[in-house]
Every structure is written in structure tokens, then in C-alpha cells.
Amino acid sequence: MPRHRTPVPRRPMTAVASAAVLTLTAVSPLGALPAQADGPAQAPVNLALNGAASASSVELDRDTFAASQANDGSTQTRWSSKYVDDNWVQIKLARDAKVDHVTLVWPNACARDFAVQTSMDGATWTTVTRQQRATCPRTDEIDVKATARYVRMQGYQRWANFGYSISEFQVWDRPVQESLGIVPKPVSVSETGGPRYRLDPATSIAALGAGARAPAGRLAQVLRRSTGYRLPVVSAKTGPKPIVIQVGAGLGPAGRPEGYVLAANAAEITIRAATANGALNGVQTLRQLFPQWVESRTKVNAEWTVPPVRISDHPRFAHRGMMLDVARSFYPVNEVKKYIDTAAQFKINRLHLHLSDDQGWRIAIGDPADNPSGIDYGRLTSVSGGTAMTYNSAGQQMGTELGLTGYYTKADYAEIVRYAGANGMAVIPEIDMPGHTNAALHAIPQLNSEGSGPQPEPGQPTVPANGTPNVGYSSLDAANPATYEFTKHVLTEIAEMTPGPYLHIGGDESHSTGHANYTKMINAFTGQVNGLGKTVVAWNEAAGTALPQDNAVVQFWNGNRTSVAEAVTSRGAKVILSPAANTYVPQKQDSRQPQGGTWACGGVCGLDRHYGWDPGTFVPGIQETSVLGVESALWGEFIRRLPQAQYYSYPRLIATAEVGWTPQAQRDYPDFTRRLAALGGRLTVEGVNFFPTASVPWPTAATGTDKTVPAGSPAGATWTVTAPAAGDLTGTITWDDGVREDVTLTAERRASIPDMRANSTFTAVSNRTFGTPGTRTATLTARPSGGEPVEATLTVTVS
């Protein structure tokens, strides 16, 4: 029995309904989840916390896998069964109780076929629902709506050869209180009651204080194109229903430079912050309070309202990043900008560009006035700007096409830096060394010397290009003076082009470099960065070197956490966390995906893996204050172009954004998926090609556009529908005179997991002709396969 909630009342022009997945939630057309009825509402209670758990079996008969691990309130522990299909785990409640629903958190070894059952005496059982599921890991939320003393999960078929594993078996006494659909979840939200704010065609946006104009301009840009309103940015509060953005010392949460305070009531909206970036974060939150259609690039008819609310918010971590591998396959500037656009909405504030690797070099470097080795730095892009990922060692093509070649001119790079900054992001450029350097060796003869690797073929001045995904075979020469001359000049030029405080030197997977040579080169490279007045960032393999004291960042991805802790305690380093199992988006997020890695998680690395971890405790032996933040990583072995990058990044990058922003105690995966669901239509309207994670209750929504046509002409009445999870979508148009039309909804892009495609918006059109002047109304009813129908009404004026 799928979980349903009462749909919100239908409003003119817009409507929504939940997708046909296990957890179903109706989402308001105003971009927020429906509020509870007036009056205080009791918080739901997880009855399992005071219950007693038992199970039919325990894996290896170990206490660490006992049934009690399923109701201990922690997703870091689990009950695991023996390796047979017929197994169960149950909760005996402290007393007979009304059970609203249960939540089952499966960390990996899920059930393909299972039932939820209830009993009053532990002997006679009633099956509430039996489910067959096709994704793992996942979280299932299932309605019960019964009085019970015992609640059981009865397994019928395991996911694979192992047993069943449940990290949390939660039994709830009442429905979860819905909240505003904001991601990342704010620190403090109060719904203040009263009438909603309604944007007026004559509204102005007041930018008060130094730094307020840029975030005000960004908000105006978003609102103008979808509403069609003028929305001038002014320097004083004026006119009806103003939006006020104010920047100044002491205006945001104390001591939180990226924080903001947002207040909305019927008369106005205010965003106050101590910095421009704080105000921009407030703007990003405000976008999510408007209906999803606000993201349309063309005018839309919608109720442009915001609920009455007060939000005080600030990030948990200063660094909330995303890494884009442009070395293995190139992304043109316009695609980088679009990648920035989407991530900025979720308060991602660092763009890590992986500019060099074995397969290619992507940044133009000029020749210095003093050039002792006579290096032609232009060859980096004229030669290795033309190489990329190609085939694996077996000769099989990597990806749907060969890696894209190309490079950024200095002007290109400056534009990326500017655009990122306008969206609240600092750019962190990475030149990977001393390994991952085949592209540099291929371009620059002077780097090819006795200690470099691989060696050029006989009679050739440089090594050949290598487009394979192989790692660990290339290295600079620690004994070659040209190595340090080269790295110093490259780092100097990039430092001059990068206003942010960080330079990344890579340092990972230098398997062919001897330890002494590796240490010698890393110490030299980090010293060069330190001498340029920048803070060096390096992957965690470099944690054991002589990092600049109190001026280095170790980025963890895999391996030894102890060395990372030692770098913190002995060198004063900070830490960026990118553990592969929790942040590497080229890893499969669903077992149905034909491409993607499984090494990081021993299977799929789903949305819940990217959400369900704690950066503050990830590295033993260090304090949370030593954690700079978190970063998602998009590597380019097989991913090509922006749509594929989006498909593997989203929605998991949104999970990483919340991990980096929201306090750990306020994060909850089922709550996150409900809020994330409200963003599905918004991302669709923006044209983001995101993966529709099966366990998220993606809603369907519709809107109609009013039309004026001459008598005798086809009406051209047009509706737009967002349905991220829909397979088939059928529609009926009902006119006010009773005429009904069955219509075919069309989409430019239809969902296909093998082809890495998500649904675009659907369009329904009626070309009914009216011979006499007048006003007609029509309602589209759109029906997603297996889901609830939605309706949207429009008006056709016949002149």
C-alpha cells in the first residue's frame, strides 16, 4: 500500500500531485509542502526507540548485528540477518499504540520482496502491505494506520547473497509534520501565520548597503523572466509589496559571514545579511519559496506568492564544493556556467576545476620573461589541449563518445572566475602532480628526463598521448631542475589569474614515483604555493609530507585517515572531505545504470549514501573545527558533456550541499527526500537533466497559459506539465461548455536510464476553434502512470 497524503486544494493555473513511488506526498503548487492545520501540532514520536527488537536470525551471531541495532536511533549501526530469504525483524512496542507509518532504512542488503505486518499478541499477524522493490540502498516509508503491539518486517527475497540489513526500523505514531520544501534545510524556520506575500506587478527590489545590488540583481533576473514584471532594483524602499535586500555589519546571524535572516509577510519580504554572499544565500532560499515556475525562462501564469515565514540561517561548514574534471573530457565555458547555475541554488560555494591529468591539459600558460630551460608553454594547449580520454586498455571506447578536447584561454578562465564569483563561488584550480602528468610530459620535451615516467619511445622527444583510464604510471622527475622551473611558472600564472585563496596541486595516485622522490617534489610544490601567498590543497596521499604550517588543506578521498589526522595535529592543516562512497558521483546511483563505478560502495552509491554521513566525525582524532567542508567530485572517465554531468551529479550533489550546510542533528533522510521532491519540478523547468531517484516521491505539476486569439483561429491553448518520475502521461482537456478532448502530451526528452536522460517538461495543446467572441476556460487533467492526476485551468479570450 503506497503512502498517500491528502492533496492540497486545487488553485487556478497550477496544480501538483505525487509520483507513483513508495512514498507519496502531495506538494503545493506554491513550491512548498502543505502546512499543517492552524494550532499547535504534536511532533511525531518514534515508538520503536522505547520498544524491544527481536529477529529470526543474526548474521554470524554477532552482537554488532543484533536486532537491537535496528531501533537504537543511529543509522551507523544495523541489524543483519543470516543468508536466507525467510527472515524477519520486529519491534515489540512498550504498549498498544496507534501506528501511523513505519520507516525502514536499508543501508545496502535490502529486501527485493518483503511485507510489513502488525500483531497484537506476537502470534497472529496481519499483513499491511507486501512490496517488491528494485533499488538498493533505499529508505521505505509505509503507511500502517492501525493499532498494534508488534510491528514486523517479513522478508521474502534478499537483494543478493547476503542477508537483510536494516539500520533503522522506525515506528511512528502520527504523520510527519510537513515543512517548507527548502534545501539545504535552514538552521531555524518559523512559519509566522497570516496572509501570504503576493508579488505585485509594481513591486521594486530595494538594494540597501554596500554589496546588496548584486544579489538584488540576481533575484530580479530570475523573477523578471518568469513573471513578466519590471521589478526595478532601486536604492530605497518604495512602492507596493517591496522586496528589501540589506547588507551591512551586524545584520545577519552573529559571526556568520554567509548567514542571512529572511522574513516574509503580506506587506513585504526582507533579506538581511552581513555580506553580499550572505544576502545571495538568502536570495537562493527565497527562490525556493516561490512556486517552481519562477525558474521558467519565459513568462508563466502563476500565483507569485510566498508563505509568511522567518528564517535565520547559516552554513555548518565554510567549504561546500563541487569538483569538475575538465581534463579527461573538456567542458566549454557555457557548460561550466550552466553547471554553476544549478549548484549555486543549493549554496555550493566552491568550484574545483581539475585542469590537468594524463589525458589532457586545459589552461593556457604564457612564456615567462626568464625561461632558463627554453620551455614553450604554449605547447601545453596546442598539443595536450587536443588530447582527451579515448579507449581503455582493451580498446573499448570510454563513454558514449570520445572525450572532448579543448582548453581555456586566459580570457575564458577569467570569465569562469567572474561568473562563479557572481554566483557566490570561489574557483579552486588544480594542476595534478607529480603523477597524472602524462599530458604535460607529452607536450613539453624538457620534462622528459631520466627519472620521469613513462619514457619516450626511441627517437621521440616526448611520451605519446595516453587516453586510457589507467592511473599511477606517470611521474615528473624529482632530479630534473626543469621540473621545478616548470611547476613554479605554471603555479605563478594560475595564482595571478585566481583571486581565491587556494591552489590545488593534486598529489594523488603517484604509484610509479618513489617515496623519497614523491616527498621531495610535494614539499617543493607546496612551498612554491605557499611562497605565492596562497593556501595549498592536496589529495590525502600528501598528508604525510612537510605541508606549510597552518597554511595547507588535505582533501580526503580514500585510504588512510590516520595520516590526515596527523597532518591536522602536527601541521595545523584543515580538511576537505570527499570520501568516494559519499561524494563520487561517477559511481552508480542505481543498479539499472549500465555505466558507472561500484568500487567505492561495493555496489551502488545511492542518494542515501551521499546524505547519510557525518563530516564532523569522519576523521577520528580531529575536531569538527578542523574540517573545512565537503566536496562532490565528478570525474570524467566516461561522462561526456553537460547533460550527462547533470545526470550523475543530481540529485546527489544536492545531498552533499545539505551535508555541508545543515547541522547534523537537524538532518533526517526521509525528511530530506520529502523536501527534495518539491525541487523535482523546479529542476525540470530549468532543464536540468537529473536522475529521478526511485525512493523520492517526485510530484507531478501543471500550469496553463492564458491566451487571446481572433475568432475563427485555432486556440493554441497550452499547458506545461512537470513529471520527473512519469513513464506514460495521458491527458484530457475539459472545456466550460462540456467539450472534452483527449490529448497527447509531448516532451523534447523522455526518460531513459541507459541513455542518461530525464523527462523534460511535457506540453499539451488544444487547437479548438471558436467562431464567436467571448471568454472560455479549459482544464487539463494530466494522469501520470500509477500516480494521482493533476489539473490546471487556463482562459482563452476570443476577440
Side-chain angles (χ1 to χ4, degrees):
M1 179 174 68
R3 177 160 196 170
H4 294 270
R5 299 187 196 279
T6 303
V8 295
R10 192 161 60 247
R11 293 179 172 89
M13 308 299 183
T14 60
V16 300
S18 54
V21 295
L22 186 61
T23 304
L24 299 183
T25 306
V27 182
S28 163
L30 301 172
L33 299 173
Q36 297 291 311
D38 291 338
Q42 289 183 294
V45 174
N46 178 9
L47 303 173
L49 293 176
N50 291 321
S54 58
S56 56
S57 70
V58 173
E59 182 181 4
L60 305 176
D61 296 318
R62 284 171 48 180
D63 291 344
T64 51
F65 297 140
S68 58
Q69 306 291 345
N71 67 329
D72 62 356
S74 171
T75 57
Q76 304 305 307
T77 59
R78 71 180 191 270
W79 162 75
S80 293
S81 75
K82 294 189 184 300
Y83 306 160
V84 294
D85 286 331
D86 184 10
N87 265 298
W88 53 262
V89 62
Q90 66 187 30
I91 307 295
K92 179 183 179 182
L93 304 179
R95 61 186 62 85
D96 297 351
K98 291 182 178 179
V99 177
D100 180 80
H101 66 281
V102 301
T103 300
L104 302 175
V105 181
W106 307 88
N108 261 318
C110 311
R112 291 185 183 273
D113 186 354
F114 72 101
V116 171
Q117 301 173 331
T118 61
S119 174
M120 295 301 296
D121 58 7
T124 302
W125 294 90
T126 300
T127 296
V128 176
T129 181
R130 183 164 173 174
Q131 297 284 342
Q132 290 78 41
R133 304 289 280 131
T135 59
C136 184
R138 66 176 191 267
T139 298
D140 294 331
E141 189 172 290
I142 302 168
D143 267 346
V144 175
K145 308 296 187 191
T147 299
R149 184 65 177 270
Y150 298 81
V151 184
R152 173 184 284 188
M153 186 291 297
Q154 171 65 59
Y156 295 110
Q157 184 183 2
R158 293 164 292 150
W159 189 259
N161 294 329
F162 294 100
Y164 302 100
S165 287
I166 292 179
S167 60
E168 273 296 286
F169 190 145
Q170 300 169 345
V171 180
W172 297 95
D173 67 341
R174 54 177 58 87
V176 174
Q177 293 176 328
E178 306 293 8
S179 59
L180 299 174
I182 303 172
V183 181
K185 186 176 185 177
V187 172
S188 172
V189 180
S190 299
E191 297 184 60
T192 55
R196 299 173 72 94
Y197 170 89
R198 185 176 299 274
L199 192 68
D200 190 280
T203 290
S204 62
I205 301 175
L208 310 181
R213 183 160 289 271
R218 180 68 180 122
L219 177 62
Q221 180 186 37
V222 171
L223 293 176
R224 285 169 182 161
R225 60 196 183 196
S226 54
T227 66
Y229 298 167
R230 185 167 166 263
L231 299 172
V233 177
V234 297
S235 56
K237 177 179 171 181
T238 184
K241 305 293 183 69
I243 299 175
V244 180
I245 299 177
Q246 188 174 9
V247 175
L251 291 179
R256 305 288 185 171
E258 288 190 273
Y260 64 93
V261 176
L262 184 155
N265 56 44
E268 66 179 9
I269 295 173
T270 60
I271 297 173
R272 293 187 171 89
T275 66
N277 279 355
L280 181 60
N281 288 329
V283 165
Q284 305 296 13
T285 295
L286 179 57
R287 287 171 68 174
Q288 294 185 32
L289 293 173
F290 277 105
Q292 67 176 38
W293 311 105
V294 78
E295 303 301 337
S296 174
R297 293 185 176 272
T298 58
K299 184 179 177 181
V300 177
N301 288 346
E303 295 186 5
W304 303 118
T305 66
V306 169
V309 67
R310 178 178 174 81
I311 297 171
S312 180
D313 198 15
H314 57 81
R316 179 184 182 188
F317 296 108
H319 181 108
R320 304 172 307 282
M322 60 181 185
M323 192 280 291
L324 184 61
D325 178 3
V326 300
R328 289 179 173 85
S329 187
F330 183 65
Y331 292 84
V333 173
N334 67 312
E335 292 193 355
V336 176
K337 286 183 174 182
K338 290 178 181 177
Y339 200 61
I340 290 170
D341 286 339
T342 306
Q345 298 173 76
F346 308 110
K347 305 179 179 73
I348 293 293
N349 69 342
R350 300 287 188 267
L351 173 61
H352 172 178
L353 289 177
H354 188 72
L355 293 167
S356 72
D357 212 297
D358 290 316
Q359 296 80 9
W361 185 283
R362 306 298 178 215
I363 183 69
I365 302 294
D367 290 339
D370 182 19
N371 192 352
S373 297
I375 296 173
D376 180 0
Y377 289 89
R379 287 178 55 85
L380 289 168
T381 48
S382 66
V383 174
S384 289
T387 61
M389 183 69 71
T390 54
Y391 304 94
N392 63 20
S393 298
Q396 298 167 320
Q397 180 175 297
M398 296 294 295
T400 55
E401 60 180 306
L402 298 181
L404 276 69
T405 62
Y407 66 91
Y408 304 117
T409 66
K410 290 186 177 183
D412 290 337
Y413 183 77
E415 176 58 14
I416 291 172
V417 169
R418 183 204 66 78
Y419 193 83
N423 283 275
M425 291 187 200
V427 172
I428 301 176
E430 179 187 354
I431 301 297
D432 206 347
M433 50 194 183
H436 289 278
T437 47
N438 196 79
L441 293 165
H442 177 55
I444 306 298
Q446 292 88 336
L447 296 180
N448 292 264
S449 51
E450 183 178 355
S452 63
Q455 287 290 295
E457 295 176 359
Q460 297 298 315
T462 65
V463 301
N466 191 330
T468 72
N470 297 343
V471 299
Y473 65 88
S474 63
S475 179
L476 298 175
D477 183 356
N480 183 357
T483 293
Y484 306 101
E485 178 186 333
F486 171 81
T487 58
K488 182 176 181 180
H489 176 62
V490 168
L491 292 171
T492 298
E493 285 227 342
I494 292 177
E496 291 171 351
M497 293 188 285
T498 306
Y502 302 108
L503 289 185
H504 203 306
I505 63 159
D508 60 316
E509 296 180 316
S510 297
H511 305 320
S512 66
T513 311
H515 177 71
N517 287 335
Y518 175 83
T519 301
K520 177 182 178 181
M521 287 190 280
I522 289 292
N523 289 344
F525 304 155
T526 58
Q528 288 172 346
V529 173
N530 191 52
L532 293 168
K534 299 286 189 179
T535 298
V536 67
V537 186
W539 296 105
N540 57 275
E541 287 92 329
T545 63
L547 297 170
Q549 189 68 40
D550 301 321
N551 194 35
V553 177
V554 175
Q555 184 166 6
F556 177 88
W557 71 280
N558 193 30
N560 187 354
R561 302 185 205 184
T562 302
S563 64
V564 176
E566 290 172 351
V568 171
T569 56
S570 65
R571 309 300 300 179
K574 297 291 187 181
V575 180
I576 295 170
L577 291 170
S578 298
N582 309 106
T583 66
Y584 271 33
V585 294
Q587 298 289 301
K588 286 185 180 183
Q589 56 196 318
D590 189 292
S591 58
R592 295 170 292 176
Q593 291 183 292
Q595 296 196 78
T598 57
W599 59 265
C601 296
V604 298
C605 294
L607 179 67
D608 55 348
R609 289 294 289 265
H610 282 240
Y611 189 83
W613 65 292
D614 183 358
T617 60
F618 187 83
V619 178
I622 70 171
Q623 299 298 313
E624 182 170 314
T625 52
S626 294
V627 179
L628 196 60
V630 297
E631 185 171 296
S632 175
L634 177 73
W635 298 103
E637 282 85 355
F638 68 91
I639 294 173
R640 304 287 176 263
R641 303 179 184 270
L642 179 67
Q644 293 183 16
Q646 292 175 331
Y647 199 72
Y648 275 81
S649 295
Y650 292 98
R652 289 180 293 177
L653 178 54
I654 302 175
T656 299
E658 179 150 310
V659 169
W661 183 278
T662 305
Q664 186 71 22
Q666 294 179 229
R667 294 202 294 111
D668 173 75
Y669 183 69
D671 171 64
F672 169 71
T673 59
R674 286 187 287 270
R675 287 179 287 110
L676 176 65
L679 299 177
R682 188 176 299 267
L683 293 171
T684 304
V685 171
E686 293 177 43
V688 177
N689 185 44
F690 69 98
F691 183 84
T693 304
S695 60
V696 176
W698 305 108
T700 298
T703 187
T705 303
D706 293 344
K707 194 76 178 289
T708 299
V709 295
S713 297
T718 302
W719 289 262
T720 300
V721 179
T722 59
D728 296 325
L729 193 63
T730 59
T732 302
I733 296 170
T734 305
W735 291 89
D736 54 2
D737 59 1
V739 172
R740 292 168 60 89
E741 303 175 68
D742 291 329
V743 292
T744 300
L745 288 92
T746 60
E748 292 183 1
R749 186 182 65 233
R750 293 301 303 269
S752 169
I753 290 176
D755 296 324
M756 295 177 272
R757 292 198 311 266
N759 286 333
S760 64
T761 56
F762 291 84
T763 301
V765 179
S766 172
N767 281 316
R768 187 182 178 190
T769 300
F770 297 95
T772 58
T775 300
R776 315 307 295 258
T777 59
T779 299
L780 170 72
T781 302
R783 302 177 185 87
S785 56
E788 298 176 353
V790 296
E791 295 184 353
T793 300
L794 57 74
T795 299
V796 175
T797 302
V798 183
S799 62

